[in-house]
């Protein structure tokens, strides 16, 4: 159903109950700093171009229809300081509005209430009057624009320019140009936090945000591949000393590991553990492994700033959306099927990820509304425990052939091998490694070319592993998979090779690090250069791709996944996920569930009853094994009560 909610809402509030829209009030009076944060973010529906009027209109919708479901934050995403004029876009330089101290301020052509130095003060007041909390996105350290202008630094203790050792300190004294943001190199750079002047600059930034009335800060380009523990630590210290709580979120999260995240103990409230998530099945499926790893590391939740911390699987790109990097607002429906949307929402809830809705709330349809306010999912997200991937699950594909593997299974197959006879594994190694020299250009036709891997002595009749050439950026290229081997034509357009994190890694780590394939975004970690010595070098990590033969018995393909958790009233939540492209019968034994749920006696004679959320099916007695036929890319969610 695509009908706008406003069609229903404008008639009368009583009409809501005719459609039995779920209402939950379990979060009322609860300290949400101890629960996964929940709200709306402007990025998926407006990119960077949102205006004050659009934002406040959206906030009113959130207050009226989502606040009662725990959606309490409304967040302006990046580049709110950029003027929306010809020539301004995501990577442009020189279009930002900064004050005399080199601090970003809202662009008055988009945020008229910011005139006369008010910043976001009036917007925050309006948001607070709605009973919501106001959030903004900020970048790392210092802007390139402020650095080039060499602006003075504000000393918040005196209200004048910062002075030390008999001189006035400026932006070029504290900016570290060689530590620029990887995905916005012309935009922002780190500051030297070992210098008092660098710390003074950061203090002036975050005190200003607090003065504006900001309740949520999404700090970008300081985590994952751009990890800057020094800046995170100092910002956290500043926020902790304020007279009111500000939720501290870290983004983005490429190449994040639980070990890296454990260094954030007590410093933040949520941190991205994935790259940007968009409305493609490949993006959804790529979250299963990382969600599993953080749950296994017992980081759901962790100790956070003035509360708990949560691994963040990124926003929910559902409903009415825009595209990345465009200078316009919402213009299309979510590309995910309803089954895929349910899978995403269920995984996010079972993994207890923050739930930040990204669609245009002004045009939200009834199906999307019911999905993001589903009371069972929100209960799981808020209050479940013992959340983990459940490994004792089996699947039987019911489609006509086993040849249609899932996209992620085929990606996994490439990383572990490509077929039972000539299996190949892909890894990263030093570009000096002679075993990395095997790539060559092969033309497809007069308009397209690909690079293929052939080792010396390889049989000519053996089909090589090939990557299609994607988008050029000077000498650097995006490469995606050859559809003949792994993908359909639709997949081929969207999937590009990702590199490892941007840091020096040891020779031991080379054996563990693997490139992966994800949605083509043109990010720095997807840029590669084919060198004259037949190596394929990552422009991001400095490592090269190596392809090698692996044993056939190392190849494992699994198209089904499952998660399990317990509820605050003793109920058991079990989710089945079908990553296959065919209907699949998924099964799990109750006795196996007892292996991962402490203190539970779930032998086959145990009296369990329950229901399945998406079908509405109720069970007077749950069979053993618990099983259900699940649609392609879909899921089943069981709520069990066992005596």
């Amino acid at each position: 159903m695509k009908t706008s909610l406003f069609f229903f809402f404008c008639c009368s509030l009583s009409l809501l109950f005719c459609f039995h829209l779920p209402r939950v009030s379990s979060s009322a009076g609860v300290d949400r700093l101890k629960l996964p944060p929940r709200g709306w973010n402007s990025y998926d529906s407006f990119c960077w171009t949102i205006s004050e009027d659009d934002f406040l209109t959206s906030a009113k919708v959130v207050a009226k229809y989502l606040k009662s479901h725990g959606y309490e934050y409304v967040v302006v995403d990046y580049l709110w300081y950029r003027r929306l004029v010809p020539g301004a876009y995501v990577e442009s330089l020189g279009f930002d509005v900064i004050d005399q101290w080199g601090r970003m301020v809202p662009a008055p052509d988009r945020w008229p209430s910011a005139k006369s130095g008010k910043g976001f003060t009036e917007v925050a007041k309006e948001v607070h009057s709605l009973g919501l909390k106001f959030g903004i996105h900020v970048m790392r350290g210092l802007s390139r624009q402020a650095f080039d202008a060499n602006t003075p630094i504000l000393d918040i203790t005196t209200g004048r320019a910062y002075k030390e050792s008999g001189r006035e300190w400026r932006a070029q004294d504290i900016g570290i140009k060689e530590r620029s943001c990887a995905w916005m190199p012309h935009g922002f750079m780190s500051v030297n936090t070992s210098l008092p002047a660098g710390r003074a600059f950061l203090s002036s930034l975050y005190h200003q945000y607090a003065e504006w009335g900001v309740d949520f800060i999404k700090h970008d380009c300081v985590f994952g591949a751009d990890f800057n523990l020094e800046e995170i630590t100092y910002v956290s210290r500043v926020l902790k000393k304020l007279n009111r709580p500000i939720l501290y979120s870290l983004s983005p999260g490429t190449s994040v590991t639980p070990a890296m995240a454990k260094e954030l103990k007590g410093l933040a409230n949520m941190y991205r553990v994935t790259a940007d998530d968009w409305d493609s099945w490949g993006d959804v499926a790529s979250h299963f492994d990382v969600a599993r790893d953080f749950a296994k590391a017992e980081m759901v939740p962790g100790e956070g700033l003035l509360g708990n911390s949560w691994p963040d699987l990124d926003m929910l790109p559902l409903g009415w959306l825009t595209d990345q990097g465009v200078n316009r607002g919402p213009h299309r429906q979510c590309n995910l099927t309803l089954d895929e949307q349910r899978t995403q929402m269920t995984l996010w809830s079972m993994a207890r990820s923050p739930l930040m809705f990204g669609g245009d709330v002004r045009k939200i349809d009834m199906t999307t509304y019911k999905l993001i306010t589903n009371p069972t999912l929100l209960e799981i997200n808020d209050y479940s425990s013992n959340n983990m991937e459940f490994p004792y699950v089996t699947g039987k594909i019911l489609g006509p052939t086993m040849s249609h593997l899932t996209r992620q299974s085929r990606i996994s197959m490439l990383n572990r091998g490509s077929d039972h006879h000539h299996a190949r594994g892909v890894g990263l190694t030093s570009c000096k490694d002679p075993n990395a020299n095997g790539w060559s250009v092969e033309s497809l036709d007069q308009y397209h070319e690909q690079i293929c891997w052939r080792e010396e002595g390889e049989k000519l009749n053996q089909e090589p592993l090939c990557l299609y050439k994607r988008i050029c950026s000077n000498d650097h290229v995006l490469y995606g998979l050859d559809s003949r081997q792994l993908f359909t034509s639709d997949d081929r357009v969207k999937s590009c090779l990702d590199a490892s994190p941007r840091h020096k890694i040891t020779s031991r780590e080379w054996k563990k690090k693997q490139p992966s394939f994800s949605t083509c975004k043109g990010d720095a970690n997807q840029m590669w250069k084919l060198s004259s010595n037949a190596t394929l070098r990552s422009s991001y990590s400095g490592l090269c791709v190596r392809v090698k033969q692996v044993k056939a018995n190392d190849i494992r393909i699994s198209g089904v996944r499952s998660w399990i958790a317990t509820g605050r009233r003793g109920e058991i939540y079990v989710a089945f996920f079908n990553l296959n492209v065919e209907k699949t019968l998924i099964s799990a034994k109750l006795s196996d569930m007892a292996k991962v749920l402490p203190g539970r006696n779930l032998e086959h004679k145990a009296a369990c009853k329950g229901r399945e959320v998406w079908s509405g099916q109720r069970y007077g007695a749950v069979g053993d094994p618990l099983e259900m036929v699940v649609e392609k890319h879909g899921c089943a969610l069981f709520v069990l009560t066992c005596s």
Side-chain angles (χ1 to χ4, degrees):
M1 181 184 294
K2 302 300 183 185
T3 310
S4 170
L5 279 179
F6 282 134
F7 176 82
F8 299 98
F9 292 160
C10 67
C11 298
S12 69
L13 187 62
S14 63
L15 191 57
L16 287 171
F17 297 97
C18 295
F19 285 87
H20 306 291
L21 293 186
R23 295 273 179 178
V24 292
S25 57
S26 60
S27 60
V30 173
D31 181 4
R32 289 208 65 88
L33 284 178
K34 295 183 179 179
L35 302 178
R38 195 175 299 160
W40 173 78
N41 181 292
S42 65
Y43 179 66
D44 287 350
S45 48
F46 289 94
C47 192
W48 66 274
T49 62
I50 192 168
S51 67
E52 181 171 335
D53 181 62
D54 288 337
F55 181 77
L56 291 179
T57 300
S58 300
K60 291 173 184 176
V61 178
V62 172
K64 192 170 185 179
Y65 302 116
L66 295 178
K67 177 188 169 187
S68 62
H69 302 276
Y71 289 85
E72 62 176 345
Y73 293 99
V74 286
V75 182
V76 182
D77 213 270
Y78 75 153
L79 302 183
W80 39 264
Y81 34 82
R82 185 153 297 175
R83 292 176 291 129
L84 188 55
V85 295
Y89 56 96
V90 173
E91 290 292 337
S92 60
L93 177 62
F95 293 90
D96 297 338
V97 183
I98 60 176
D99 66 11
Q100 63 177 321
W101 309 110
R103 302 177 299 182
M104 319 310 294
V105 294
D109 61 322
R110 297 164 53 201
W111 305 91
S113 71
K115 294 177 181 178
S116 304
K118 292 184 179 180
F120 274 126
T121 302
E122 296 302 318
V123 173
K125 285 181 180 178
E126 181 69 21
V127 169
H128 293 157
S129 73
L130 298 170
L132 299 173
K133 296 178 181 179
F134 175 59
I136 61 173
H137 172 287
V138 302
M139 294 292 292
R140 76 187 307 167
L142 177 74
S143 76
R144 172 69 179 272
Q145 194 165 315
F147 182 89
D148 291 345
N150 202 22
T151 53
I153 297 166
L154 174 65
D155 185 340
I156 61 173
T157 63
T158 65
R160 295 188 293 271
Y162 182 84
K163 293 184 178 180
E164 183 191 357
S165 302
R167 72 180 182 93
E168 183 179 287
W169 289 67
R170 291 180 171 266
Q172 292 181 7
D173 297 319
I174 64 169
I176 308 175
K177 289 183 67 175
E178 58 270 23
R179 293 187 65 182
S180 62
C181 177
W183 64 268
M184 193 186 285
H186 303 303
F188 291 82
M189 65 187 73
S190 292
V191 298
N192 190 339
T193 55
S194 67
L195 295 174
R199 298 194 296 271
F201 176 74
L202 292 176
S203 293
S204 73
L205 288 180
Y206 289 88
H207 276 87
Q208 176 169 260
Y209 303 148
E211 290 167 3
W212 287 345
V214 172
D215 306 291
F216 179 112
I217 290 175
K218 178 181 176 180
H219 194 181
D220 209 334
C221 231
V222 291
F223 195 49
D226 289 287
F227 193 30
N228 188 334
L229 185 60
E230 296 82 7
E231 183 167 330
I232 294 170
T233 300
Y234 187 73
V235 169
S236 181
R237 187 184 309 164
V238 172
L239 297 178
K240 193 171 186 178
K241 291 181 179 179
L242 296 174
N243 58 7
R244 62 185 182 82
I246 293 180
L247 188 144
Y248 189 28
S249 169
L250 303 179
S251 174
T254 54
S255 308
V256 174
T257 63
M260 177 188 292
K262 286 180 179 179
E263 296 187 59
L264 301 176
K265 184 177 180 180
L267 299 179
N269 300 105
M270 53 188 277
Y271 50 91
R272 279 271 297 282
V273 295
T274 68
D276 286 356
D277 173 69
W278 278 93
D279 54 327
S280 74
W281 172 245
D283 278 10
V284 175
S286 69
H287 287 67
F288 279 89
D289 285 351
V290 68
R292 173 203 61 204
D293 293 345
F294 277 84
K296 188 175 181 180
E298 299 183 345
M299 301 186 70
V300 184
E303 180 183 339
L305 176 65
L306 302 176
N308 288 328
S309 67
W310 306 90
D312 176 18
L313 299 181
D314 200 19
M315 291 171 284
L316 296 163
L318 308 173
W320 196 252
L321 306 169
T322 188
D323 287 319
Q324 291 176 292
V326 296
N327 286 17
R328 57 180 175 176
H331 67 279
R332 63 175 178 83
Q333 282 284 347
C334 172
N335 289 321
L336 297 173
T337 67
L338 179 57
D339 283 314
E340 291 167 346
Q341 292 177 48
R342 287 173 172 173
T343 291
Q344 179 168 33
M345 191 71 187
T346 303
L347 177 62
W348 265 236
S349 297
M350 290 293 286
R352 301 195 73 188
S353 169
L355 299 179
M356 302 300 290
F357 178 57
D360 185 358
V361 290
R362 303 169 307 170
K363 302 181 70 173
I364 190 171
D365 59 273
M366 190 65 67
T367 300
T368 303
Y369 181 81
K370 287 185 176 182
L371 180 61
I372 67 173
T373 60
N374 182 285
T376 302
L377 293 181
L378 299 188
E379 171 72 18
I380 292 171
N381 186 247
D382 273 344
Y383 299 113
S384 59
S385 58
N386 301 313
N387 305 65
M388 68 186 78
E389 185 174 82
F390 178 62
Y392 306 104
V393 62
T394 60
K396 179 181 179 182
I397 295 177
L398 302 179
T401 176
M402 288 284 287
S403 64
H404 299 293
L405 301 173
T406 70
R407 187 172 195 244
Q408 283 301 304
S409 292
R410 282 176 280 180
I411 291 171
S412 178
M413 196 176 197
L414 174 69
N415 286 337
R416 295 174 180 139
S418 59
D419 60 60
H420 286 278
H421 301 291
H422 300 101
R424 296 182 179 92
V426 177
L428 294 170
T429 185
S430 168
C431 292
K432 296 180 180 179
D433 184 349
N435 293 314
N437 305 341
W439 295 99
S440 60
V441 175
E442 295 187 12
S443 296
L444 292 171
D445 52 46
Q446 60 178 328
Y447 302 108
H448 302 93
E449 69 178 30
Q450 62 185 355
I451 61 168
C452 296
W453 176 271
R454 285 191 184 276
E455 292 189 56
E456 186 176 347
E458 187 174 85
K459 296 179 181 179
L460 292 178
N461 62 352
Q462 180 175 337
E463 186 175 8
L465 187 152
C466 297
L467 303 176
Y468 278 93
K469 191 172 183 178
R470 293 288 178 245
I471 304 166
C472 296
S473 174
N474 297 328
D475 293 333
H476 302 100
V477 177
L478 300 179
Y479 287 105
L481 287 174
D482 185 333
S483 65
R484 293 177 303 166
Q485 294 187 3
L486 297 174
F487 291 125
T488 66
S489 58
D490 288 341
D491 292 328
R492 186 185 68 199
V493 172
K494 299 176 182 177
S495 301
C496 286
L497 187 65
D498 280 337
S500 68
R502 188 182 187 181
H503 67 257
K504 298 293 184 182
I505 63 176
T506 66
S507 57
R508 289 183 180 180
E509 288 180 296
W510 290 336
K511 298 179 180 179
K512 300 178 182 179
K513 298 290 180 183
Q514 291 183 336
S516 60
F517 291 87
S518 62
T519 303
C520 296
K521 298 172 183 175
D523 294 339
N525 65 336
Q526 289 185 334
M527 294 292 182
W528 300 84
K529 184 174 182 179
L530 182 63
S531 302
S532 58
N533 65 347
T535 59
L536 183 61
R537 183 180 183 275
S538 166
S539 308
Y540 196 58
S541 67
L543 299 175
C544 283
V545 179
R546 179 191 176 189
V547 180
K548 61 181 180 179
Q549 302 290 329
V550 296
K551 295 179 181 179
N553 58 14
D554 289 338
I555 303 169
R556 293 178 289 110
I557 300 171
S558 176
V560 298
R561 307 291 278 266
S562 179
W563 273 66
I564 195 167
T566 53
R568 56 176 168 168
R569 301 177 184 88
E571 62 269 44
I572 299 172
Y573 301 110
V574 182
F576 291 163
F577 299 98
N578 178 18
L579 277 62
N580 294 312
V581 295
E582 303 283 357
K583 287 183 181 180
T584 300
L585 175 66
I586 304 179
S587 306
K589 295 180 180 179
L590 295 178
S591 57
D592 286 335
M593 296 180 195
K595 296 177 182 179
V596 298
L597 296 177
R600 291 302 185 102
N601 181 11
L602 296 177
E603 297 301 328
H604 66 278
K605 292 183 180 181
C608 290
K609 60 181 180 179
R611 61 188 174 90
E612 197 283 313
V613 172
W614 302 119
S615 66
Q617 184 175 348
R618 292 187 174 273
Y619 301 87
V622 175
D624 192 7
L626 178 68
E627 61 183 10
M628 176 167 275
V629 175
V630 182
E631 295 292 331
K632 152 189 168 180
H633 298 172
C635 66
L637 176 59
F638 300 94
V639 183
L640 307 179
T641 302
C642 301
S643 60

